Amino acid sequence: MDQSVAIQETLAEGEYCVIAVQGVLCEGDSRQSRLLGLVRYRLEHGGQEHALFLYTHRRMAITGDDVSLDQIVPVSRDFTLKEVSPDGEIYILGSDVTVQLDTAALSLVFQLPFGSQTRMFLHEVARACPGFDSATRDPEFLWLSRYRCAEPEPKLPTPRDCNSAPGGSNFDGLRPNGKGLPMDQNSSDQDKPESLQPRQNKSKSQITDMVRSSTITVSDKAHILSMQKFGLRDTIVKSHLLQKEEDYTYIQNFRFFVGTYNVNGQSPKECLRPWLSEGIEAPDVYCVGFQELDLSKEAFFFHDTPKEEEWFKAVSEGLHPDAKYAKVKLIRLVGIMLLLYVKQEHAAYISEVEAETVGTGIMGRMGNKGGVAIRFQFHNTSICVVNSHLAAHTEENARRNQDYKDICSRMQFYQLDPSLPPLTISKHDVILWLGDLNYRIENMDVEKVKKLIEEKDFQTLYEYDQLKIQVDKKTVFEGFTEGELTFQPTYKYDTGSDDWDTSEKCRAPAWCDRILWKGKNITQLSYQSHMALKTSDHKPVHSLFDIGVRVINDELYRKTLEEIVRSLDKMENANIPSVSLSKREFCFQNVKYMQLQVESFTIHNGQVPCHFEFINKPDEESYCKQWLNANPSRGFLLPDSDIEIELELFVNKTTATKLNSGEDKIEDILVLHLDRGKDYFLPVSGNYLPSCFGSPIHTLCYMREPILDLPLETISKLEDLFQQPGLRSEFEHIRDYLDTGMIDNLSASNHSVAEALLLFLESLPEPVICYSAYHNCLECSGNYTASKQVISTLPTFHNNVFKYLMAFLQELLKNSAKNHLDENILASIFGSLLLRNPAGHQKLDMMEKKKAQEFIHQFLCNPL
């Protein structure tokens, strides 16, 4: 997730967040989460400088409301940021990066996660330092120097002609065995500054929580295309290596354990070995997922939970005793957690580890439902493991399907080379999908279900399984495979027993907990549940796989590389690259608020390899307006090859206000630039249908007819339940109803209407409680009389809307037994929507956010 967006919302005009990374501030034994943002700002005389903005936060930083500025560290002449090896800590290849920030006034130590985001962050910080010289302070080398082993292996002979060819690159030191590094083999560590000295490996440890990934290696397909230190010729070499992969690799099987367990908010109370390791040979790889790790409201609204450490320890202790394992990655979104372990001897062949999360709860923010994923390269095969918790209840099939599609579309992994587009789940050789998918048994009464289970007639029962039905319809998991269900449903049991649910709801048994896969060379060896574990109302499930992984043959790799280089020596690259475009003008018709429109075109390359990129126009900070995006925005084309570019237009709360008023229009010009070639100018136009979403309250109050019936000139002249997401298709109907006034065909669930209300309030350019009253509201939270006095000072329109909303919410609370709402939940949700910090001001800390919630809480509990 790109957290620089949250930081950008806190910045003043002229300030721009270049990149952000999540880290941990280390002060003695204390560990505190921090969000680090590199911010560029303009000076009055026209120059620019940089600073590190350090933020505290309690939940994942999605918007500016989620962070609070802690301190600002200018990137000045006395600023240094270098990697260190803390005393007493065991260093493992691929472990999190420890860096020390020093200025004349302070010294701070941070741990940053291993991966491409940290690499890019360090690269950008190095570039921002005064006096940066790419020839002497290569941030690529600063990043790579940490991976040199204490006992280097013999160097592979340099392929013939690699160094002598015109435009050729130095392939010396590129090792295809997963252990080499792209570096200058003749460099001497003694001649380098202290900040560039390699860290030495320390003694090995017997503990299981060693975080490992591999060194950067040419055997890794992603790295073949992402090494920035080489030029155009080398990009061609890497592309050809990918095309000829089968010529120098062979398939080797590795044993994968994949497990899923919904723990219903419980702490571990029993040994996990019956699930994780009993009755099987030691797996090479463990992929272990949990759902409902913590059901508390604190975990729902904030990111911290002690359950993470408890279950991590329980898993580590339950791994197979006949092998030693290294923890590669842990990723968690509220109660959804995924752990990846490998045998220690395989850790050197794991690389390109990335982890991401997608929340599918209301407004895409709440992580009570959604997915987490870890992607990595194992030898020369890309693997993505997804753990998801989809919407509950038998009747919510459509919402489950939507959750699945949201996870697939929004889960993106950034690559080492920022010029390459992010990887999606589908862009992997092997996909393993596990979790509480929550699909139920439909059209069968509870007693009939239990009778078929007692008879072990799982085949008949399976015909009524919602997941099977949806897969057969190709609405979800298209191309995935699931093994035969030979075990009884895993939900719902009385906690602590093997008895079916005896509560008042008496849930029908269902196979909620599932494991599916997609890819080649995958053989499922077993698929079963584990009745012995009784901590939860679910039973854990595991599946064992033999997965064929592509492994490099060193000799064949060398021969293939030499052949490619020799053939390139004969190529003439003197011609200017040129391309043809399938389309050069783009018109988006009837653009609506929060409704994605996509136009695509194809770039066909001629006979000369080339890089392409959409570039900024003069005096503009981006290549396009905020409502537009090109995907991919840059890339590389081989001779006589094609690439499809998608232009995505999406209007949200940030851009809607100016489009509604006519201050902005759907008009832009994209500049497509070819490296060493010409520029192509692509006009973009369209018409936006004004919406009540993103319009000021006072503007809406003056309207006597639907906004779509009003001309833009009229608009510009005018004076200045909530816990489950709705369906996107229903939101679009609600939006259109509000904009047109046509209610005849409106059909939407309560959840969709509720979410539409929240999205509407969020889209208001001036919140219901005006910015000018914000600080007064905080000061009098806890004094209801004073709070009412502040509300009375609001403009009439805002005052009336606030009172109407409070009366509406109080009415909802009268039915809390049915809708499961309480004052605290509503105050948390509406506190951040009705009370928003003045634009451009520093974001407040958690204590002041709590005051905002307390302010709303008063009006929910007292007469208006």
Side-chain angles (χ1 to χ4, degrees):
M1 178 179 292
D2 183 8
Q3 298 185 95
S4 63
V5 176
I7 291 179
Q8 188 63 48
E9 290 188 14
T10 72
L11 301 180
E13 185 177 354
E15 296 176 345
Y16 174 70
C17 182
V18 179
I19 191 170
V21 67
Q22 185 70 51
V24 175
L25 175 62
C26 306
E27 296 178 320
D29 295 332
S30 172
R31 297 289 186 272
Q32 299 179 42
S33 181
R34 288 290 186 274
L35 184 61
L36 290 73
L38 177 63
V39 175
R40 182 176 69 236
Y41 51 94
R42 298 173 184 168
L43 302 175
E44 291 184 1
H45 55 71
Q48 61 182 27
E49 291 186 353
H50 293 78
L52 278 187
F53 281 44
L54 309 180
Y55 292 83
T56 59
H57 63 103
R58 285 291 305 278
R59 59 185 174 195
M60 287 176 29
I62 300 172
T63 72
D65 291 329
D66 300 328
V67 298
S68 179
L69 185 62
D70 182 46
Q71 62 186 124
I72 299 175
V73 183
V75 180
S76 54
R77 290 282 176 183
D78 63 352
F79 176 97
T80 62
L81 185 67
K82 64 182 180 181
E83 188 179 358
V84 295
S85 180
D87 294 336
E89 288 195 8
I90 297 171
Y91 171 63
I92 302 298
L93 290 178
S95 63
D96 290 349
V97 185
T98 302
V99 296
Q100 183 169 316
L101 187 161
D102 288 308
T103 69
L106 57 80
S107 179
L108 302 173
V109 175
F110 295 93
Q111 283 185 348
L112 308 180
F114 174 82
S116 61
Q117 187 70 7
T118 292
R119 172 188 175 278
M120 288 189 287
F121 177 81
L122 295 176
H123 177 93
E124 292 295 339
V125 171
R127 290 182 57 192
C129 290
F132 169 75
D133 183 352
S134 60
T136 59
R137 297 179 59 194
D138 183 4
E140 180 84 17
F141 181 84
L142 173 63
W143 174 259
L144 295 174
S145 65
R146 69 188 295 258
Y147 300 116
R148 296 187 185 176
C149 299
E151 300 176 1
E153 304 207 358
K155 178 164 66 83
L156 189 70
T158 304
R160 187 173 56 186
D161 299 325
C162 278
N163 297 325
S164 58
S169 59
N170 182 4
F171 281 88
D172 190 21
L174 285 181
R175 304 259 318 182
N177 62 358
K179 297 182 180 178
L181 294 169
M183 65 176 74
D184 182 359
Q185 297 288 343
N186 297 320
S187 299
S188 169
D189 291 336
Q190 285 75 16
D191 297 333
K192 292 181 170 44
E194 180 183 352
S195 62
L196 296 183
Q197 289 289 339
R199 298 198 303 192
Q200 302 299 314
N201 285 349
K202 299 183 180 180
S203 59
K204 292 184 178 179
S205 170
Q206 303 300 318
I207 60 176
T208 60
D209 62 342
M210 296 188 301
V211 184
R212 285 201 177 192
S213 298
S214 178
T215 58
I216 296 178
T217 133
V218 132
S219 65
D220 177 340
K221 284 195 291 188
H223 282 111
I224 289 175
L225 284 176
S226 66
M227 290 300 188
Q228 291 186 3
K229 65 181 290 186
F230 302 121
L232 176 62
R233 179 186 176 87
D234 308 290
T235 305
I236 300 171
V237 171
K238 298 164 200 169
S239 298
H240 281 295
L241 280 171
L242 287 184
Q243 293 176 355
K244 295 178 177 290
E245 182 185 34
E246 292 188 2
D247 294 347
Y248 58 86
T249 61
Y250 61 92
I251 300 295
Q252 179 177 334
N253 280 336
F254 293 88
R255 184 69 49 85
F256 279 64
F257 176 100
V258 181
T260 179
Y261 193 6
N262 182 319
V263 297
N264 192 32
Q266 304 298 309
S267 294
K269 301 172 184 176
E270 49 197 346
C271 177
L272 300 184
R273 282 194 172 176
W275 171 40
L276 297 174
S277 56
E278 286 185 3
I280 61 174
E281 296 180 6
D284 297 294
V285 180
Y286 271 100
C287 311
V288 183
F290 293 95
Q291 306 84 39
E292 294 191 355
L293 204 72
D294 193 332
L295 297 176
S296 67
K297 291 177 182 176
E298 291 75 18
F300 183 76
F301 288 105
F302 304 109
H303 194 54
D304 299 330
T305 173
K307 300 289 180 66
E308 175 182 306
E309 183 64 27
E310 294 174 6
W311 282 102
F312 165 62
K313 183 179 179 182
V315 171
S316 297
E317 293 173 349
L319 300 179
H320 207 289
D322 293 345
K324 294 178 181 177
Y325 291 90
K327 186 193 83 176
V328 177
K329 197 72 177 177
L330 181 155
I331 181 73
R332 182 176 60 82
L333 173 67
V334 187
I336 311 169
M337 184 169 79
L338 179 60
L339 284 159
L340 176 65
Y341 298 84
V342 299
K343 282 184 177 178
Q344 289 188 13
E345 58 264 35
H346 299 320
Y349 300 96
I350 299 285
S351 60
E352 274 298 277
V353 180
E354 294 287 343
E356 284 295 344
T357 66
V358 169
T360 60
I362 194 163
M363 300 175 71
R365 292 183 60 169
M366 300 306 183
N368 57 317
K369 295 294 187 290
V372 301
I374 300 172
R375 65 91 49 201
F376 60 100
Q377 296 286 135
F378 189 22
H379 286 277
N380 226 48
T381 294
S382 62
I383 299 173
C384 183
V385 186
V386 184
N387 174 22
S388 66
H389 190 191
L390 308 185
H393 307 305
T394 303
E395 67 277 8
E396 297 293 354
N397 244 338
R399 185 167 288 111
R400 279 187 283 277
N401 295 348
Q402 178 177 299
D403 287 351
Y404 165 79
K405 293 173 183 176
D406 283 347
I407 292 169
C408 289
S409 63
R410 291 167 49 199
M411 189 77 74
Q412 295 188 332
F413 306 93
Y414 290 97
Q415 301 194 63
L416 280 175
D417 184 352
S419 68
L420 296 175
L423 292 171
T424 58
I425 293 173
S426 63
K427 300 297 185 182
H428 291 82
D429 300 323
V430 173
I431 305 169
L432 303 171
W433 198 303
L434 59 110
D436 180 358
L437 306 186
N438 252 325
Y439 288 95
R440 309 300 175 92
I441 304 296
E442 66 181 17
N443 299 325
M444 184 179 291
D445 63 63
V446 176
E447 294 307 316
K448 175 65 173 176
V449 172
K450 292 180 180 179
K451 185 174 185 298
L452 289 174
I453 295 172
E454 186 177 346
E455 296 170 352
K456 297 191 181 301
D457 189 358
F458 301 137
Q459 187 172 355
T460 299
L461 190 62
Y462 183 56
E463 294 300 315
Y464 296 85
D465 176 69
Q466 289 180 334
L467 179 57
K468 177 190 183 301
I469 295 169
Q470 294 301 311
V471 170
D472 289 345
K473 291 179 179 178
K474 296 186 177 181
T475 54
V476 291
F477 291 102
E478 189 169 0
F480 280 82
T481 304
E482 183 182 21
E484 182 182 356
L485 295 174
T486 59
F487 52 89
Q488 70 183 48
T490 55
Y491 174 84
K492 178 183 182 179
Y493 297 86
D494 287 340
T495 302
S497 74
D498 293 335
D499 300 328
W500 297 116
D501 180 26
T502 58
S503 68
E504 182 180 349
K505 294 181 179 179
C506 192
R507 302 282 192 193
W511 284 295
C512 289
D513 310 282
R514 313 289 275 267
I515 298 170
L516 300 92
W517 75 90
K518 187 177 184 180
K520 298 180 180 179
N521 304 312
I522 303 175
T523 302
Q524 188 180 55
L525 304 178
S526 65
Y527 189 22
Q528 65 187 75
S529 65
H530 295 267
M531 299 295 292
L533 274 68
K534 308 179 192 300
T535 298
S536 171
D537 56 356
H538 289 248
K539 298 297 182 182
V541 173
H542 96 265
S543 181
L544 280 178
F545 297 96
D546 270 348
I547 298 180
V549 171
R550 288 200 170 274
V551 178
I552 292 284
N553 179 300
D554 290 358
E555 184 177 352
L556 293 178
Y557 171 83
R558 179 168 49 241
K559 289 180 179 179
T560 304
L561 179 62
E562 290 177 349
E563 290 173 2
I564 293 171
V565 172
R566 276 198 298 269
S567 67
L568 287 177
D569 288 342
K570 301 175 183 178
M571 289 181 62
E572 293 292 334
N573 291 329
N575 297 325
I576 297 175
S578 65
V579 301
S580 61
L581 309 180
S582 64
K583 192 175 181 180
R584 296 203 181 193
E585 294 186 8
F586 304 90
C587 183
F588 293 86
Q589 296 291 340
N590 298 328
V591 177
K592 296 181 179 181
Y593 181 78
M594 284 189 68
Q595 181 169 304
L596 177 69
Q597 286 199 31
V598 179
E599 291 279 341
S600 62
F601 69 100
T602 301
I603 304 176
H604 176 77
N605 191 28
Q607 299 307 308
V608 180
C610 72
H611 287 278
F612 70 87
E613 178 181 6
F614 289 96
I615 60 173
N616 299 1
K617 298 178 283 294
D619 301 323
E620 294 189 8
E621 291 190 351
S622 177
Y623 68 85
C624 64
K625 291 188 176 180
Q626 282 184 287
W627 37 259
L628 188 62
N629 180 59
N631 186 25
S633 62
R634 60 179 71 179
F636 171 76
L637 284 167
L638 287 171
D640 198 31
S641 64
D642 300 288
I643 188 169
E644 185 178 46
I645 307 294
E646 291 187 340
L647 301 183
E648 302 167 340
L649 197 156
F650 187 74
V651 176
N652 58 19
K653 64 175 183 177
T654 305
T655 54
T657 301
K658 290 185 177 180
L659 287 168
N660 281 332
S661 66
E663 188 177 344
D664 189 16
K665 296 181 180 179
I666 305 295
E667 292 179 358
D668 201 358
I669 295 178
L670 299 178
V671 182
L672 177 64
H673 172 73
L674 301 186
D675 189 21
R676 300 181 300 117
K678 65 183 234 181
D679 292 341
Y680 297 81
F681 297 88
L682 311 179
V684 176
S685 61
N687 67 298
Y688 178 70
L689 301 180
S691 172
C692 60
F693 288 81
S695 296
I697 287 178
H698 48 271
T699 300
L700 296 173
C701 290
Y702 273 117
M703 293 180 182
R704 293 295 179 264
E705 52 187 310
I707 190 170
L708 278 181
D709 292 344
L710 297 175
L712 279 178
E713 295 76 13
T714 303
I715 298 173
S716 61
K717 291 178 181 178
L718 291 174
E719 290 189 23
D720 284 342
L721 18 150
F722 296 100
Q723 300 171 80
Q724 287 195 42
L727 292 174
R728 186 169 296 112
S729 58
E730 293 183 352
F731 165 75
E732 293 172 358
H733 288 306
I734 296 167
R735 177 203 59 209
D736 291 346
Y737 159 64
L738 293 172
D739 292 340
T740 64
M742 299 173 62
I743 195 172
D744 298 343
N745 299 320
L746 178 63
S747 175
S749 68
N750 291 340
H751 294 304
S752 296
V753 174
E755 184 168 18
L757 172 61
L758 299 185
L759 289 168
F760 172 79
L761 294 174
E762 185 186 44
S763 73
L764 292 173
E766 177 92 5
V768 174
I769 298 177
C770 301
Y771 288 128
S772 59
Y774 181 78
H775 294 290
N776 289 336
C777 291
L778 294 185
E779 291 173 3
C780 63
S781 65
N783 185 332
Y784 186 50
T785 301
S787 298
K788 288 197 295 184
Q789 181 61 34
V790 173
I791 293 299
S792 68
T793 65
L794 295 178
T796 303
F797 302 131
H798 289 253
N799 190 327
N800 290 340
V801 170
F802 178 82
K803 290 179 179 178
Y804 176 85
L805 275 173
M806 292 302 104
F808 168 67
L809 296 180
Q810 285 185 357
E811 192 66 28
L812 287 179
L813 290 172
K814 292 179 182 178
N815 298 280
S816 59
K818 295 181 179 179
N819 57 37
H820 305 295
L821 290 173
D822 63 36
E823 309 91 77
N824 294 323
I825 291 177
L826 290 179
S828 296
I829 294 172
F830 284 86
S832 61
L833 293 173
L834 304 182
L835 269 165
R836 279 191 258 147
N837 225 357
H841 284 211
Q842 175 180 321
K843 294 298 175 181
L844 302 182
D845 58 27
M846 291 306 302
M847 182 58 68
E848 290 171 308
K849 288 184 181 180
K850 186 178 180 181
K851 287 184 178 180
Q853 295 174 7
E854 289 176 351
F855 182 86
I856 300 299
H857 191 273
Q858 300 173 110
F859 289 89
L860 298 176
C861 301
N862 293 290
L864 296 175

